[in-house]
Structure formats: structure tokens, C-alpha cells
Amino acid sequence: MELLIALTIGLLIAAGLYRLIGPTRIDMVIGLLLLSQGANLTIFASGGLKHNATALIDGDPSKLAGLTDPLPQALVLTAIVIGFGILAFLLTLILRSSPK
Amino acid sequence: MTPQSLMLLCLLAPFVGALACLPFPGRRRWSAAVAMVAMALSLAAAIALVAKTSGGEAFAIHAGGWSAPFGIVLVVDAFASLMLAVCQLVVVASLIFAARTLPSRYTRRHLFPLILLLSFGTSGAFLTGDLFNLYVWFEVLLLSSFALMAILPGQAGRSGTWRYVVINLVSSMLFLAAAGLIYGKTGTLNFADLRLRLLEADSPFLIESSAALLFGAFGIKAALIPLAFWLPSSYPLLPPALSAMFAGLLTKVGLYAFYRVFGMVFASGEGFPHRDLLLGLALVTMIGGVLGAVGQNGMRRILSFHIISQVGYMALALALFTPLALAAGIFYLGHHIIVKANLFLVTGLVETRAGSSDLAKVKGLMRSSPWIAVLFAVPALSLAGLPPLSGFFAKFALLKATLEAGNTFAALAVVGVGLLTIFSMLKIWRAAFWGGDVVATGRPPAKSLMVTSAALALVTIMIGLACGPVFGLAETAAACLLDPTAYHEAVLGTGNPRIPAKP
């Protein structure tokens, strides 16, 4: 699981950098998008990757041991929202500067 | 008022002002008035905060009552309050210029809410107490600056905007990835908590790779060569009222992040990660920036290259990392923000008077408008570092710090780059202010603009004359970075057993 996520992050960032140096502005937007997904996955992975644990637990703290840290998931949500806003801005910028 | 409510006032006044402007995009006067009131309130709160923290105190707000390091914290110490006060002052001055000089292309498109939100973002970046929120505040100020840039007309404006946007987004991605990695390795993003954990673990493995990513992110924002080439291709396109604010605020927020994160959070004892790299890049930036300015022919472009050169000075102060050098760097930051913004505002005056700030087109301003010449001379000489202006004391303290650190090359660079700065300023002076045939296609600038610029010039002179107390403030701020016990206590609670006792 860790290896898969690590390879995915590497692939996303490599592809993002490659598109970023592409010839058109749309290339650059796609590159930035891929880079931001790579960064988001990095944050997501920093909380630890566990599976087969229950989603809801009662008040027993000993059951917390097998669970991932939820904070990075909150952080990544914020980062996704910001990334989405920026994507909208970039696309508007391209639309406005293209000849009508 | 309590320091906490002052912090909220300082932070939220621009935000509330922006909300009050947004529903009435057509009403220019209303927006301008609201913006002025909001920024004046924020400036007053920032000055009050300087007074409250001048003894080395730190105050924190724990949002929602969540205790650190779990909740969001806003912290103010002497360094943050100093930066807040200086930046709000510059925004107020730019607002006056923006309201009086910008054409309707700008003012009809939410100009004032955007300026307020830009100020909101910078204040948040100064006040935040954790790494992830620093990223969020960076995005707040970047998006407002993107939107301001996007108003620029023409093909050149669009490609300048595009470069600015893309390079800043790359820097944000680096920042975001670094924040993720640091959380994965240490389990915290809160500055105070992170610093304690790094001190406890004391393992370079924990921090060096993520610090390298952050170095890249802040290096782009602060415009360190070789990451600075976006700056001269975008800033000169902006009208002076806006470039004054961009020049004063944006690269300095990057430097503030360098000081806060590398100088305090990552620092242990005598150094921080990648200090030698910062020292080298600072010297390259100082020299490269000033040499870049030599070949330029417009006031806007010359001044933009000087931003880069001066950023090198402030990075050099951090890289030396002695108490004197840090105090010199913080003093330099405060002095530089005011002086550089004022130089751009004077460029605005020249453009109003002569119709252009291209040195080939402007001549003989000394004879037709001597006051503009005086207003240019004060910040220009201060930038170059002539006594008794603020720049002299900033450069002098930095020179003393380089000599005490035994770094002769850096000392030579401090002096040499200062000389080349005088050369550039003289070039502007000779071309635009001297000369016989007066070219005046414009009209004399309004009194209010002259007064605004004169007020900033007066602040420069006052900092120079009252150098002792102001430098004392900078020393307090530097001490807060080197020994952040008060910062830790404000964030984590007094008497927290993890905070190391004072030596």
C-alpha cells in the first residue's frame, strides 16, 4: 500500500513537471493540477495508511490504535478546496486572454 | 483593549471592510472610504500591539478554545507586531494613491476589496502559529494579488500575470508537500510544538529534506536569485500605486516566513538547516540584483531589480544568525518596506507629472517640480544607505554583524552593493530630475498624494533620527526569535513541562 501510494505520488509529480514545461497554457494548467494532486496525496499519506478498521468507534481509547490520524484528511480537504479555487481562476485567466 | 482583541481587530478589520465593499461594486467613493477606515483601524491596532509586545511578550488566541497543538492558534510577538504595523502603514499609503491615481479600468473592478483581502492575507501570515495555516494565508494573499494582476491590460500584462501566477503556484505546491512531509515525520505543524519536538529529537534526518522544500517555496516568494526572475518580468507592469504595495508586502512575507520558520522553528542553538546555502544565495542575490538594475532604463524596472538586491541583504542577515545580525535584519525589513513602497509611490508622482517614468522620456523635473525631487531624494538616499536616514543604520548594523562574524567577503558585498545602489539612484536622478528642457505632458499631482509620500519620507527620517529606540525594538524582536520562551508559553500554556528553562 505504501509503495503504491509512493509510486503514485512520484508519477503525479513527474507528469506534472513534464506538463508544466509544455508549450501551451493549458499544458501548464494540467501540470499544476497534477502537481497539486501529488502534494495532496503526500499530505494524505502522512497520516499513515491503515485498512480493515471500523469507521465508527465508541468511547474506548484502546480501539484507536489501529486507526489513521484524521488530521491530515482535514488538511487535505482544505488543500483540495484551495486547489479547486485556483484551477477555476487559472481557467478564467486563459479564457479571458484567448482571442474571442 | 486586551492584546487578543487588538489582534482580532487588526486581522478582521480589512476582511469586514472587504465584505462591506463587495455588494456595491459601482460605488467607488463608498468602497474607498470603507477601505480607508478599515485599514486605519487595522493600523491603529497594529501600533497598539507593537506597544504591548515591546518588552518581549507574546500573546496567543486559541481559536474555538481548542488547546495547542490541536487547534488553530494566532500568535503575536514583537517581530510579528512590528511587521504588521509597517505593512498596514504601507497599505494605507497605497490606498490613497490607488484611490487618486488609478484609471477606472482598475477601480470599477473590485479594486478596494482586493487590496483589503491582500492585507488580510499578509496580516494572517504574520499572526499565524502553524505551518499549514501559513500556507492557507499565503493562498489568501496570492489569490488577491493574482486578481489584481489580472486587471493589467494588453499582451504584456497577460503574459506577466501568467508568469507570476504559475511560479507562485509552483511555490505553493512545494510548500504544501513540505507541510505534509513534516506532519508525517513529526506529527505536528504548530510552530511552538514543532520546535520543541525538533529540539527533543535533535535529528537532522527529521527536518533537512522538508526544510529544503520549504527553502524552495519561500525562496520563490522572497525572490532569491536564482528563483527571482519572475519579479522583474511582472512588477514593472503594475501601476505604481499597486506595485508599491506588492513591493512592500509580498516578497517581505516570504522573508518573514524565512525568519519565522528557519530562524525560529528549525533553529537549534547556533544554526538552522541549509544555512550555508542561504548565505551563498543571499550574496548572489545582493550582487545579481544590483547588477541587473544597471542595464535598465525605466524607473519601474530599476526599482524592481533593487527589490531583489535588497532581499539579499535581509537574507544575509538571517544567514549570519547572530543576535546583532538578526536585529539588523529585522530593522532592515521594517526600513525597507517603507522606503521601497515610497520609491514606487514617487514613481507614481513622476508619472502623473511627466506622463511617463521611462528615463528616456522624462527630463528636468527638478526645475518644474522641486518637491517631487525632494520626495524622491529622501527614500533613494535611504535605500542606498546614507546617514542620517534609516537605511544607513540598517546597513551599518549589518556591516558590523558581518565583520563580527569574520565574513570579510560579505562585508565587502554589503559596502559594494550599497555603492552600486547609489549609482542606480544617481542614474534616475540625472536622467529624470536634471536636464534643461522640461518635458511636462502631465499635470501636477494632487496635494494629498504629495502629503502621503512626504509622510512616508518623514517616517524614514524619524526612524533614522530615533534609531536607538527603533533598533531596540528590532533587538527585542530578534531575541524573541532566538529564545522564544514567551512564544512557547503563550501557545502551549505557562508552566508546560516541555518548555526548556531559560539558560
Side-chain angles (χ1 to χ4, degrees):
Chain A
M1 188 73 170
E2 276 83 0
L3 187 68
L4 185 66
I5 291 282
L7 285 177
T8 314
I9 293 173
L11 203 64
L12 277 171
I13 290 187
L17 281 178
Y18 179 68
R19 290 310 290 266
L20 194 63
I21 54 173
T24 66
R25 292 188 174 176
I26 278 291
D27 276 318
M28 295 166 103
V29 172
I30 293 172
L32 284 171
L33 195 66
L34 292 175
L35 278 182
S36 84
Q37 297 308 325
N40 287 347
L41 261 185
T42 314
I43 297 190
F44 176 73
S46 73
L49 301 163
K50 314 249 171 69
H51 53 94
N52 283 345
T54 47
L56 300 171
I57 51 166
D58 51 17
D60 182 6
S62 65
K63 290 184 184 163
L64 284 171
L67 296 178
T68 55
D69 185 347
L71 185 78
Q73 300 177 10
L75 296 183
V76 97
L77 204 59
T78 316
I80 289 172
V81 172
I82 292 176
F84 187 70
I86 284 176
L87 175 66
F89 177 81
L90 282 174
L91 292 177
T92 319
L93 204 62
I94 289 186
L95 270 182
R96 274 172 45 105
S97 58
S98 61
K100 301 212 168 58
Chain B
M1 286 209 274
T2 62
Q4 277 79 7
S5 44
L6 283 174
M7 282 163 79
L8 285 181
L9 178 63
C10 184
L11 185 65
L12 292 181
F15 181 62
V16 174
L19 289 186
C21 293
L22 276 176
F24 312 106
R27 309 185 67 168
R28 249 189 75 181
R29 283 174 173 279
W30 160 258
S31 301
V34 166
M36 277 310 297
V37 171
M39 287 316 301
L41 274 176
S42 186
L43 174 63
I47 291 173
L49 275 176
V50 172
K52 297 243 182 209
T53 55
S54 60
E57 300 90 342
F59 304 98
I61 297 177
H62 297 87
W66 289 84
S67 66
F70 306 108
I72 292 172
V73 282
L74 296 173
V75 200
V76 68
D77 63 358
F79 183 29
S81 64
L82 209 60
M83 293 294 290
L84 274 176
V86 174
C87 283
Q88 311 301 51
L89 178 68
V90 165
V91 176
V92 169
S94 314
L95 261 181
I96 298 175
F97 266 71
R100 301 300 295 263
T101 61
L102 290 184
S104 69
R105 176 181 177 86
Y106 291 89
T107 46
R108 70 186 151 91
R109 295 184 202 216
H110 294 303
L111 173 77
F112 296 105
L114 285 173
I115 293 178
L116 288 174
L117 287 176
L118 184 64
S119 166
F120 177 56
T122 48
S123 311
F126 293 144
L127 287 174
T128 184
D130 78 78
L131 201 60
F132 191 78
N133 279 305
L134 187 61
Y135 162 75
V136 175
W137 288 115
F138 268 173
E139 295 302 300
V140 171
L141 73 93
L142 278 181
L143 262 179
S144 338
S145 72
F146 292 167
L148 284 171
M149 275 254 171
I151 309 178
L152 289 176
Q155 185 60 43
R158 282 196 291 271
S159 63
T161 310
W162 188 256
R163 271 181 217 150
Y164 175 80
V165 169
V166 170
I167 191 77
N168 273 299
L169 288 181
V170 171
S171 137
S172 299
M173 292 311 135
L174 291 175
F175 194 167
L176 196 57
L181 290 176
I182 288 177
Y183 187 83
K185 284 187 278 192
T186 64
T188 184
L189 288 168
N190 183 293
F191 285 158
D193 194 33
L194 186 57
R195 180 169 185 274
L196 291 182
R197 280 200 201 189
L198 294 175
L199 284 181
E200 283 155 13
D202 199 22
S203 126
F205 157 77
L206 268 181
I207 207 59
E208 287 205 337
S209 58
S210 323
L213 283 175
L214 280 183
F215 194 106
F218 297 159
I220 290 175
K221 298 238 194 288
L224 287 177
I225 289 177
L227 306 169
F229 297 106
W230 57 270
L231 195 150
S233 67
S234 57
Y235 277 22
L237 302 167
L238 285 164
L242 294 180
S243 56
M245 202 167 49
F246 276 50
L249 265 56
L250 295 186
T251 51
K252 308 309 167 302
V253 176
L255 277 169
Y256 173 85
F258 255 120
Y259 273 71
R260 178 67 73 195
V261 175
F262 283 81
M264 185 185 102
V265 179
F266 293 167
S268 65
E270 60 278 356
F272 51 85
H274 313 302
R275 191 173 143 204
D276 296 335
L277 180 64
L278 185 64
L279 185 67
L281 287 187
L283 290 170
V284 172
T285 308
M286 281 163 70
I287 298 166
V290 85
L291 290 182
V294 170
Q296 306 303 322
N297 271 316
M299 280 177 78
R300 291 179 180 192
R301 287 191 67 85
I302 292 178
L303 292 176
S304 298
F305 272 100
H306 276 290
I307 298 177
I308 300 178
S309 159
Q310 304 281 317
V311 160
Y313 275 98
M314 290 168 260
L316 174 68
L318 175 64
L320 290 172
F321 205 63
T322 58
L324 176 65
L326 274 182
I330 291 168
F331 186 84
Y332 210 117
L333 267 169
H335 134 79
H336 173 78
I337 291 174
I338 294 174
V339 162
K340 183 52 86 180
N342 199 7
L343 278 171
F344 274 102
L345 293 183
V346 175
T347 307
L349 292 179
V350 169
E351 285 182 10
T352 318
R353 184 74 190 87
S356 164
S357 63
D358 191 335
L359 293 184
K361 294 182 188 156
V362 190
K363 242 193 255 175
L365 276 176
M366 181 75 190
R367 197 162 294 168
S368 62
S369 17
W371 282 108
I372 297 183
V374 173
L375 288 178
F376 175 77
V378 172
L381 294 178
S382 183
L383 186 78
L386 262 67
L389 300 162
S390 55
F392 169 72
F393 297 101
K395 283 210 170 65
F396 180 74
L398 187 56
L399 181 64
K400 189 153 181 267
T402 52
L403 290 174
E404 275 180 12
N407 196 333
T408 323
F409 183 73
L412 283 176
V414 168
V415 177
V417 172
L419 279 177
L420 284 171
T421 309
I422 298 184
F423 168 75
S424 271
M425 294 300 125
L426 278 180
K427 181 175 162 187
I428 297 180
W429 181 262
R430 228 173 39 130
F433 293 95
W434 276 355
D437 6 353
V438 180
V439 184
T441 49
R443 58 204 151 67
K447 281 246 165 51
S448 56
L449 302 184
M450 305 285 278
V451 171
T452 310
S453 174
L456 285 187
L458 199 64
V459 173
T460 312
I461 297 172
M462 291 304 291
I463 294 178
L465 293 181
C467 171
V470 181
F471 200 80
L473 269 182
E475 278 180 328
T476 315
C480 289
L481 286 181
L482 285 170
D483 174 27
T485 309
Y487 192 98
H488 285 311
E489 284 179 348
V491 175
L492 300 171
T494 314
N496 191 310
R498 291 177 55 213
I499 300 172
K502 279 201 182 195

